[in-house]
Amino acid sequence: DLRLVNAECERLNIGPIKNKGIDTLRLSRILLPENQCWKLSHLSAQFNLQTENFHRAYDDALCCAKLFLHLLTLPLPKKNKKRHAEMKM
């Protein structure tokens, strides 16, 4: 959660992280338009990504990484091809 990390950086009087990032929630919504839920716990179960402790920083980060790698294997839905450019990858 880049927003959380940047809030902590601000609290410590450190500048925000300026690295580019990819939002797995946004990517999931584009690649899985038929889903009704895009929560990390739901997607983890949907794709059998093993995670033990949701809402723990390390486990959530690991699960997001696994989800991202899985999402890269999915085809872009035809009706969303023009949104591909919006992803700015």
Side-chain angles (χ1 to χ4, degrees), residues 6 8 15 21 23 26 29 34 36 40 47-48 58-60 64 66 71 74-76 86-87 89:
N6 280 334
E8 187 63 15
D23 186 343
R26 185 174 179 200
R29 286 181 172 164
E34 70 283 354
Q36 297 296 313
L40 184 58
F47 298 120
N48 297 317
Y58 177 79
D59 292 318
D60 282 0
C64 276
K66 289 177 184 179
L71 292 173
L74 301 179
L76 188 62
E86 296 173 16
M87 292 167 46
M89 298 174 114

Side-chain angles (χ1 to χ4, degrees), residues 38-77:
W38 295 274
K39 289 182 178 181
L40 184 58
S41 58
H42 176 82
L43 294 170
S44 175
Q46 181 177 347
F47 298 120
N48 297 317
L49 305 174
Q50 294 181 351
T51 303
E52 294 189 20
N53 299 306
F54 283 106
H55 303 295
R56 303 294 299 171
Y58 177 79
D59 292 318
D60 282 0
L62 186 60
C63 190
C64 276
K66 289 177 184 179
L67 175 61
F68 175 71
L69 293 175
H70 182 77
L71 292 173
L72 290 178
T73 69
L74 301 179
L76 188 62

